[in-house]
Amino acid sequence: MKNIIKKALALVCALAMVFTLCACGNGGGEDSAKVYKVGICNYVDDASLNQIVENIQSRLKEIGDEQGVTFEVSYDNCNADATVMEQIISNFIADGVDLMIGVATPVAMRMQALTEDNGIPVVFSAVSDPIGAELVESLEKPGANVTGTSDYLDTAAIMNLIFANDPDAKKIGLLYDVGQDSSASAIDAAKKYLTDKGIEIVEHTGSTSEEIMQAAQAMVADGVDAVFTPTDNSIMKAELAIYETFAQAGIPHYTGADSFALNGAFLGYGVDYANLGVETADMVADILINGTDPATMAVKTFDNGTATINTEICTELGYDYDTVAAAFQPYCTKINTITTAESFDDVQQ
């Protein structure tokens, strides 16, 4: 009898172990999917940067579904306030994020400074001059915990468009925010190009919407033939408030992103910001899922060959679209058209 009882107890224990092992073996389902915590800080609320964020988030969701992982994304916007930016980044660190994404140069620089000791990977997006901002040692080998995507602007290409459309232009205005690191190298390049060509340069700057509106009015008073703005977030934010000033005065505004044209500039020339967001997300996934070291992950740069013409403003300026497009064609890999709207969700290209 005792032997029977022992055998029964042994069988019960064996079955219990089997069920336990089976339960453990089933732990690879959705409940135990790997979760990566990602913090995104956007510098300012404008069409270009918002488009990047939207595409980062949607692409991470897509990758998560494909790879069976979860990206737990925390998003915030500091609206160009340094104190708020500091708090957002500090909160990400306190929350134990696995990686941070800094959208625009000022955010990326602050993330870099606050991760020197903890080594949290940082992926930046829309940084025009990563080397000049001292975010990376080189584009090929960043050298530390920071890498990302650049919206480097080929300034000479935009200058070529200005003179392709108006070979007789004699006075060009440069409108930008001196506090925007993203504008510095592009403005220097524009000055060199125009000086070498013997063109008169008129500079007006501003950081607030009111200052930028006054600067636009000053450009009109100075009688410039055209105005150039690089990928400057301050001017981008104010574009909806100034585009009519230029259009009504017959002054074309040439800019460094299609979002300017969306908000009323005559022309935006540069990278596809939707694609910039997708590529940024791909880099994030490569670091977190595959364990790629940011120090050896090259910064991604993009072809700056797409010109986006605002057809409404083209007409208001008195230009014939077909003539303009033909003049631009030798200097572009692609020409898009757009009409004025507040966001890309409001218009179809």
Side-chain angles (χ1 to χ4, degrees), residues 15-346:
L15 288 171
M17 290 182 66
V18 170
F19 283 123
T20 300
L21 289 171
C22 287
C24 292
N26 289 332
E30 292 184 5
D31 290 341
S32 63
K34 178 65 177 177
V35 176
Y36 298 104
K37 298 177 71 173
V38 177
I40 303 176
C41 181
N42 192 0
Y43 180 61
V44 72
D45 183 24
D46 73 32
S48 289
L49 303 189
N50 292 346
Q51 192 179 24
I52 291 171
V53 171
E54 289 165 6
N55 281 275
I56 289 174
Q57 293 176 317
S58 61
R59 178 58 179 156
L60 286 179
K61 176 64 168 59
E62 181 181 339
I63 295 171
D65 292 342
E66 293 171 353
Q67 299 292 326
V69 301
T70 298
F71 293 99
E72 187 178 286
V73 178
S74 299
Y75 169 75
D76 215 332
N77 187 328
C78 68
N79 285 308
D81 187 312
T83 301
V84 174
M85 183 197 306
E86 186 90 7
Q87 187 60 56
I88 291 170
I89 298 171
S90 297
N91 288 344
F92 288 160
I93 295 171
D95 290 342
V97 296
D98 298 300
L99 181 147
M100 290 190 283
I101 302 173
V103 182
T105 303
V107 181
M109 292 176 68
R110 197 61 198 138
M111 284 184 173
Q112 177 194 46
L114 293 177
T115 58
E116 286 181 347
D117 295 332
N118 56 47
I120 295 173
V122 173
V123 176
F124 57 74
S125 191
V127 171
S128 301
D129 186 5
I131 297 175
E134 299 184 353
L135 287 168
V136 298
E137 293 177 5
S138 73
L139 297 181
E140 295 76 21
K141 293 184 178 180
N145 64 310
V146 182
T147 187
T149 59
S150 173
D151 60 347
Y152 165 78
L153 182 67
D154 184 353
T155 305
I158 299 184
M159 297 293 109
N160 288 337
L161 294 177
I162 292 175
F163 292 100
N165 188 41
D166 184 4
D168 297 323
K170 296 292 188 293
K171 184 187 295 188
I172 304 300
L174 304 180
L175 175 63
Y176 62 102
D177 178 358
V178 292
Q180 288 284 317
D181 294 309
S182 59
S183 293
S185 60
I187 290 297
D188 287 344
K191 288 179 181 178
K192 183 179 186 308
Y193 180 105
L194 294 170
T195 299
D196 290 346
K197 198 174 177 67
I199 302 298
E200 182 179 351
I201 298 170
V202 175
E203 291 184 72
H204 288 291
T205 64
S207 57
T208 66
S209 291
E210 183 177 353
E211 290 173 349
I212 293 165
M213 289 172 67
Q214 292 173 349
Q217 292 164 359
M219 288 288 189
V220 173
D222 288 335
V224 298
D225 296 306
V227 173
F228 165 67
T229 294
T231 50
D232 188 303
N233 292 307
S234 296
I235 309 302
M236 170 66 244
K237 192 175 180 181
E239 186 66 35
L240 281 167
I242 64 173
Y243 80 91
E244 290 179 326
T245 298
F246 289 140
Q248 290 170 5
I251 299 172
H253 191 191
Y254 293 80
T255 64
D258 58 356
S259 48
F260 284 91
L262 173 75
N263 287 172
F266 165 58
L267 178 128
Y269 183 90
V271 305
D272 179 339
Y273 280 88
N275 184 52
L276 197 74
V278 170
E279 294 289 348
T280 302
D282 285 345
M283 295 183 78
V284 169
D286 197 11
I287 292 169
L288 293 179
I289 297 176
N290 300 327
T292 303
D293 185 357
T296 60
M297 180 183 284
V299 173
K300 289 191 177 181
T301 56
F302 304 87
D303 175 26
N304 285 307
T306 299
T308 301
I309 299 172
N310 185 312
T311 53
E312 293 174 338
I313 302 303
C314 184
T315 299
E316 188 169 351
L317 290 170
Y319 297 150
D320 173 71
Y321 170 78
D322 290 335
T323 301
V324 171
F328 286 172
Q329 194 275 329
Y331 304 99
C332 304
T333 57
K334 184 179 180 181
I335 297 176
N336 290 333
T337 60
I338 206 166
T339 54
T340 306
E342 186 170 355
S343 73
F344 285 97
D345 291 337
D346 301 329

